[in-house]
């Protein structure tokens, strides 16, 4: 399985509440439309006095790199990207293969 890992930064001027509404409530509807998507997970950064360099991380699972390419080549991805422009300042991403490591011996 191939995973798209995206670290995101909220658009300047958006309140945390508005950012989370756009990402957590509205955006999944766009992600669900991507052909071949198997799983989707959001990881919002917790509020902290430090101020993190990112607002959160998203994970999207596909069966193959070819499926990722196909998903992001269609009209569904165009709609998804247009929606992201409403609430994201920046997106940095990479493809990964997940490896689970057992902690107990």
């Amino acid at each position: 399985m191939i995973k798209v890992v995206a670290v995101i930064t909220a658009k300047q001027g958006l309140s945390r509440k508005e950012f989370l509404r756009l990402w957590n409530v509205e955006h999944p509807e766009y992600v669900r439309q991507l052909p071949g998507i198997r799983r989707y997970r959001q990881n919002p950064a917790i509020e902290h006095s430090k101020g993190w360099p990112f607002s959160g991380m998203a994970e999207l699972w596909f069966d193959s790199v070819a499926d990722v390419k196909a998903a992001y080549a269609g009209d569904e991805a165009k709609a998804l990207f247009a929606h992201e422009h409403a609430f994201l300042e920046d997106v940095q991403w990479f493809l990964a293969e997940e490896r689970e490591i057992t902690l107990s011996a």
Side-chain angles (χ1 to χ4, degrees), residues 6-93:
V7 288
I8 62 172
T9 306
K11 189 167 266 195
Q12 294 288 326
L14 277 183
S15 68
R16 178 174 172 78
K17 182 178 179 181
E18 181 65 4
F19 164 70
L20 290 175
R21 184 188 69 75
L22 288 163
W23 187 29
N24 299 157
V25 177
E26 289 186 15
H27 200 60
E29 291 304 316
Y30 293 90
V31 174
R32 285 183 185 104
Q33 300 305 312
L34 292 174
I37 189 152
R38 296 295 193 166
R39 225 170 128 195
Y40 177 49
R41 179 176 290 155
Q42 294 179 342
N43 302 273
I46 61 170
E47 288 188 276
H48 191 275
S49 60
K50 176 182 180 186
W52 304 114
F54 299 104
S55 304
M57 179 188 70
E59 300 167 284
L60 298 87
W61 282 262
F62 295 87
D63 287 334
S64 67
V65 172
D67 286 341
V68 174
K69 288 174 96 173
Y72 283 98
D75 290 336
E76 299 88 353
K78 289 177 188 171
L80 178 136
F81 296 145
H83 185 255
E84 286 177 347
H85 287 294
F87 67 97
L88 294 182
E89 191 74 35
D90 187 45
V91 178
Q92 297 181 43
W93 63 276

